[in-house]
Amino acid sequence: MKNLLIPVFIFLTINYSNSQDFDFGKVSKAELQEKFHPIDSSASAAILFRNEEISFSFSENLGFIQQRMIHMRIKVYNKDGFNWANEKVSLYKGDPNLSEKIKGIKGYTYNIEGGKIKKDKLKGDAIFDESSNELYNIRSFIMPNVKEGSVLEYTYIIATQSPFIDDLNLQFSIPTNKLEVRVATPQYYNYNKILNPKASFLPKMRESTKDKRIARTTRKVSEIGSGSGTMLSSSYDTSNTDYKENIVSFSEENIPALRAESYADALNNYKAKLSMELAAILDENNIVRQSFSKTWEKVSKSIYENSDFGGQLNRTTFFKNDVEEVLKDIEGDIQKIFLIESLVKSKVKWNGVYGKYAQNGIRNAYKEGEGNVADINLLVTAILRSQGFNANPVLVSTRRNGIPLFPTREGFNYVICMVELGNNYMLIDSTEPFSSNNILPSRVLNWKGRVFANDGSSSWVNLLSNEPSVESTMLNATINEDLLAKGTVRQVKKSHVALNYRKKYTGVSSEDHVKGIEANKGDLVVSDLIFQNDKDIYQPIRLSYKYELSDGIDDIGGNLYFNPMFFLGVKENPFKLKERTYPIDFIVPFKDKYLINIALPDNYKVESLPEPLAMEFKGGESKFVYIAEKNGKYLQIKVELNIVNPIVQPADYNDFKIFFEKTIEKQAEQIVLSRIE
């Protein structure tokens, strides 16, 4: 009988969605009673059914109207899945003629109470508008009475006169049992269809056509009779236009979750999705009436010519006096750039809003002291240009926004500044108080950016720095008779590790800073903390403190056992999966260096030291060195982990996992001291 259970379970799992009724409102007790997902037991929620249909209907007054219908049914297994009860819908408003409107919002939350299905209706007071930016409004709604075990179901329609189609998501952060997608477009709209080539899940796209007809009615007015007996008569003529409807559809089951993995921050780059680029509008004879096929040069030019982008760069009079005062008697270009960047950071604070177009305008942002990303970084660019620097804006798609699959204005959502000095260049993001030239916040470090020259031409520029982020640590230790390890730690942090440390601890009280250092390090007590260059972003951070560690040494049979790295180093391998779906992405190259000096306690000698180790991964893309040696009355340990290439592809995951595991095992090896008789 045990053998019979296996194929039955597999059959039920594979055909799980086939037995369901997905008509709106037809939620079953079986769905409500399900305690965990049958395939992915770790899922906090699952999409039981998603149906997305895009269609175009013809209006004699307006032409083709696009309607996008969404129907979602979601199972919530535990509290971690409650966030799926909050739906946010972005509605384009950048062009009034192409704006999006939402209608027909309807939803219910289903629970079992007293053995019966109870449903709670989504009411109007749970539907509201959130803060918006220059291009989008956000309509949100929150499903009522959500509990562990609830099933949520909602539907809505987005209508617009725009022929442009937003990306269709075919994968989500939770598993999807059943997905139905259908896009029906008139033959007059020609689209390029692109599935994300980086996605690990590749759905099957089906294409077909369907005959459609547009019926037009025309009223004709004519005169009957003559003279005073003339009368008006009306009649109606009907004409038909036949055309083809091009249909793209997907029908998929058991779609795996797009689940976060260690060091894989930019998941949108790997999501299964369909992008539909409007290439052209055709006439009834299939001749191109209007072309939309774009190159990156055309996209860049259209953005640059916008008054809220390129138009901002010529507004220079309002900051003239302040800049002249700041740069008075300053000769060096690097120092001038630094002072201009510092001026903007002191004058304008980032309001947290992304965008490639200025929200308030650089003049208003400067006077009011607040602005979005474009306000701030276009302002930096304008000031640098006014002082004769070859400074240009750079369009960026942030890590969470993904990488655009084809040339499109909407593929960019951020702008930074680039300054060229001879054959070198600097990248500046003045929204981040602790960033410096070429040390950009991680949200920006996504592939390449598009830089605009003063004449409107554009080209790609690499955003990723080859300079490693370096953290150097020196630890001195003595061992007391009561087995207390104590000593000093000195650290130097450079580049991105310094940026991240400043963001975390600058302005934090010494008490809270000490607690942060002590956290998750056993019985560690830190004192006399000194934090230098916390605000001087052009200098490395220098950190020093005294410590006492009471649980770092064991006395076993008269011998002393201890890990010479004490509370330093990596304790656990973050790479635990058997297989990797997405690349490991450390974002930037980095180097961790440790130099540890331990004074031998009196009356003890070295019984054993860890053997030296030097190893490489993939021809030097990552390196590790460990050396432990005795030098007179001292033990000296040198450890260095160097990640030269911050991207590890899934095909290399197992080899890198083994490499990284060995570095952790080596750092965990112990020294043994024996008593001198």
Side-chain angles (χ1 to χ4, degrees):
M1 290 297 294
K2 289 184 178 179
N3 291 334
L4 289 175
L5 288 174
I6 295 174
V8 171
F9 174 76
I10 293 173
F11 178 82
L12 291 174
T13 297
I14 293 174
N15 291 280
Y16 175 83
S17 60
N18 292 336
S19 63
Q20 307 302 301
D21 184 347
F22 294 120
D23 290 342
F24 190 87
K26 301 293 185 179
V27 172
S28 67
K29 278 190 177 182
E31 291 171 311
L32 287 163
Q33 290 170 341
E34 190 174 82
K35 300 300 182 183
F36 57 87
H37 193 266
I39 298 177
D40 186 353
S41 60
S42 65
S44 61
I47 298 172
L48 301 179
F49 178 64
R50 178 180 173 90
N51 183 26
E52 184 166 3
E53 295 185 5
I54 296 177
S55 60
F56 287 80
S57 58
F58 185 79
S59 165
E60 290 195 33
N61 295 325
L62 301 175
F64 283 104
I65 306 297
Q66 178 188 159
Q67 287 201 129
R68 188 179 193 131
M69 188 282 297
I70 304 290
H71 173 198
M72 283 278 276
R73 185 181 295 182
I74 301 168
K75 172 70 179 183
V76 176
Y77 295 110
N78 55 50
K79 291 181 180 179
D80 291 338
F82 283 9
N83 61 307
W84 283 88
N86 187 359
E87 173 74 348
K88 298 177 184 289
V89 183
S90 295
L91 301 170
Y92 180 74
K93 66 171 185 179
D95 183 338
N97 296 320
L98 304 178
S99 62
E100 295 176 327
K101 306 294 182 184
I102 190 169
K103 61 182 181 179
I105 299 177
K106 182 171 62 172
Y108 292 93
T109 299
Y110 301 86
N111 292 290
I112 289 185
E113 295 185 9
K116 296 182 178 180
I117 297 178
K118 178 181 180 294
K119 64 179 185 178
D120 293 277
K121 184 179 180 180
L122 172 64
K123 296 182 179 179
D125 58 4
I127 303 172
F128 50 92
D129 293 318
E130 292 189 13
S131 59
S132 59
N133 58 30
E134 68 271 21
L135 292 178
Y136 291 91
N137 285 324
I138 298 176
R139 178 68 56 86
S140 295
F141 56 86
I142 301 175
M143 301 298 291
N145 196 25
V146 179
K147 305 175 183 179
E148 292 184 347
S150 296
V151 170
L152 318 175
E153 189 170 41
Y154 57 79
T155 184
Y156 58 84
I157 295 172
I158 299 173
T160 177
Q161 295 181 51
S162 172
F164 299 99
I165 297 176
D166 292 338
D167 287 353
L168 290 101
N169 292 324
L170 306 175
Q171 189 177 21
F172 303 86
S173 60
I174 55 177
T176 303
N177 290 358
K178 181 72 172 177
L179 174 72
E180 296 283 351
V181 174
R182 185 178 187 272
V183 184
T185 58
Q187 70 180 52
Y188 310 110
Y189 297 159
N190 181 255
Y191 296 90
N192 295 324
K193 297 171 283 292
I194 306 172
L195 285 168
N196 184 6
K198 289 191 172 186
S200 59
F201 168 70
L202 296 175
K204 183 178 180 181
M205 182 169 65
R206 299 172 177 83
E207 297 188 67
S208 60
T209 61
K210 183 178 180 181
D211 293 329
K212 298 285 286 187
R213 172 171 289 180
I214 298 173
R216 294 183 175 90
T217 302
T218 306
R219 182 187 178 193
K220 296 177 64 176
V221 179
S222 58
E223 294 183 354
I224 301 175
S226 60
S228 60
T230 300
M231 299 178 61
L232 296 178
S233 174
S234 61
S235 61
Y236 294 88
D237 286 343
T238 300
S239 62
N240 296 321
T241 301
D242 294 324
Y243 69 97
K244 294 287 186 182
E245 190 175 61
N246 298 313
I247 301 169
V248 175
S249 63
F250 299 86
S251 182
E252 297 286 344
E253 296 183 4
N254 300 324
I255 301 172
L258 186 76
R259 180 161 289 125
E261 297 177 353
S262 299
Y263 297 96
D265 183 50
L267 285 184
N268 275 343
N269 290 344
Y270 309 103
K271 177 192 296 183
K273 64 179 180 180
L274 173 68
S275 295
M276 295 189 65
E277 177 196 16
L278 180 63
I281 294 179
L282 313 176
D283 63 16
E284 294 181 357
N285 297 312
N286 287 328
I287 296 174
V288 174
R289 193 175 74 197
Q290 185 177 3
S291 175
F292 291 90
S293 291
K294 296 182 177 72
T295 62
W296 283 114
E297 288 74 16
K298 289 181 179 179
V299 167
S300 303
K301 187 174 186 295
S302 67
I303 295 173
Y304 192 85
E305 291 175 349
N306 190 293
S307 61
D308 290 325
F309 190 87
Q312 299 292 311
L313 300 175
N314 299 319
R315 302 175 183 180
T316 60
T317 57
F318 62 90
F319 54 67
K320 182 179 179 181
N321 293 337
D322 290 342
V323 173
E324 288 178 352
E325 180 64 25
V326 166
L327 299 183
K328 184 171 58 178
D329 301 326
I330 302 298
E331 298 294 335
D333 285 344
I334 300 295
Q335 184 68 4
K336 286 182 179 181
I337 293 169
F338 164 71
L339 290 173
I340 289 171
E341 185 180 359
S342 298
L343 172 67
V344 172
K345 288 180 179 180
S346 67
K347 286 283 189 179
V348 188
K349 305 302 178 186
W350 182 36
N351 61 11
V353 177
Y354 291 5
K356 59 182 171 289
Y357 297 120
Q359 185 179 37
N360 299 325
I362 65 172
R363 185 175 184 275
N364 289 336
Y366 191 81
K367 291 194 171 184
E368 296 171 7
E370 184 178 85
N372 74 345
V373 164
D375 288 321
I376 293 171
N377 286 325
L378 291 177
L379 172 62
V380 171
T381 307
I383 296 177
L384 288 168
R385 282 187 176 183
S386 75
Q387 299 304 303
F389 288 102
N390 184 10
N392 299 299
V394 180
L395 283 173
V396 173
S397 175
T398 58
R399 293 175 67 81
R400 290 191 177 181
N401 195 54
I403 294 174
L405 301 182
F406 54 82
T408 169
R409 289 180 298 177
E410 306 313 315
F412 298 113
N413 66 331
Y414 205 97
V415 60
I416 60 174
C417 173
M418 185 177 90
V419 189
E420 295 186 56
L421 293 172
N423 294 325
N424 300 313
Y425 65 85
M426 297 180 182
L427 297 174
I428 297 172
D429 183 358
S430 291
T431 66
E432 181 57 66
F434 301 116
S435 69
S436 56
N437 297 335
N438 293 331
I439 309 300
L440 300 172
S442 59
R443 60 180 175 267
V444 179
L445 299 177
N446 191 30
W447 191 49
K448 297 180 180 180
R450 192 81 186 176
V451 61
F452 296 83
N454 202 12
D455 60 3
S457 62
S458 65
S459 59
W460 292 109
V461 61
N462 187 17
L463 300 173
L464 302 178
S465 173
N466 292 323
E467 179 184 352
S469 178
V470 180
E471 182 174 71
S472 301
T473 301
M474 178 182 287
L475 179 144
N476 294 320
T478 59
I479 301 173
N480 293 351
E481 290 183 2
D482 57 0
L483 304 185
L484 180 73
K486 60 188 300 185
T488 59
V489 171
R490 292 182 174 84
Q491 289 184 313
V492 177
K493 302 174 188 288
K494 300 178 181 178
S495 189
H496 285 89
V497 70
L499 166 62
N500 294 331
Y501 203 86
R502 286 186 174 101
K503 290 175 67 174
K504 187 173 183 179
Y505 287 115
T506 297
V508 172
S509 68
S510 293
E511 181 181 357
D512 288 339
H513 194 163
V514 165
K515 288 180 180 178
I517 296 173
E518 293 174 341
N520 303 315
K521 293 185 177 68
D523 293 333
L524 176 70
V525 177
V526 169
S527 61
D528 297 348
L529 174 66
I530 299 175
F531 184 17
Q532 294 178 298
N533 300 330
D534 55 331
K535 296 180 181 178
D536 188 349
I537 61 176
Y538 285 91
Q539 295 296 326
I541 286 175
R542 297 189 181 277
L543 197 71
S544 66
Y545 54 85
K546 295 180 180 179
Y547 71 90
E548 292 185 356
L549 182 67
S550 58
D551 64 348
I553 301 169
D554 294 318
D555 186 337
I556 302 175
N559 289 343
L560 303 185
Y561 292 78
F562 61 93
N563 177 354
M565 297 200 69
F566 295 110
F567 50 89
L568 302 175
V570 179
K571 307 294 185 186
E572 186 176 1
N573 192 346
F575 309 113
K576 298 178 180 179
L577 297 175
K578 291 183 178 180
E579 295 181 351
R580 182 87 180 191
T581 306
Y582 321 114
I584 295 171
D585 186 358
F586 291 110
I587 304 178
V588 295
F590 70 87
K591 185 183 295 185
D592 288 342
K593 301 166 65 176
Y594 301 93
L595 178 60
I596 299 168
N597 294 295
I598 303 170
L600 282 170
D602 293 337
N603 302 319
Y604 279 89
K605 64 180 180 179
V606 176
E607 188 69 25
S608 68
L609 284 176
E611 293 293 327
L613 176 65
M615 59 179 182
E616 292 185 348
F617 162 74
K618 203 175 180 182
E621 290 191 5
S622 294
K623 304 175 184 178
F624 179 76
V625 175
Y626 184 106
I627 300 172
E629 55 190 3
K630 182 177 179 294
N631 186 6
K633 293 190 63 175
Y634 291 91
L635 301 176
Q636 190 171 78
I637 294 87
K638 298 177 182 178
V639 183
E640 182 173 310
L641 174 63
N642 187 4
I643 304 295
V644 179
N645 182 357
I647 305 295
V648 180
Q649 297 299 334
D652 299 318
Y653 169 67
N654 285 324
D655 289 342
F656 184 82
K657 178 183 176 182
I658 293 170
F659 167 85
F660 206 82
E661 183 65 37
K662 287 181 178 179
T663 71
I664 295 172
E665 290 173 354
K666 197 64 185 178
Q667 292 177 71
E669 288 187 9
Q670 294 195 322
I671 289 175
V672 182
L673 305 182
S674 61
R675 186 177 291 276
I676 300 174
E677 299 298 336

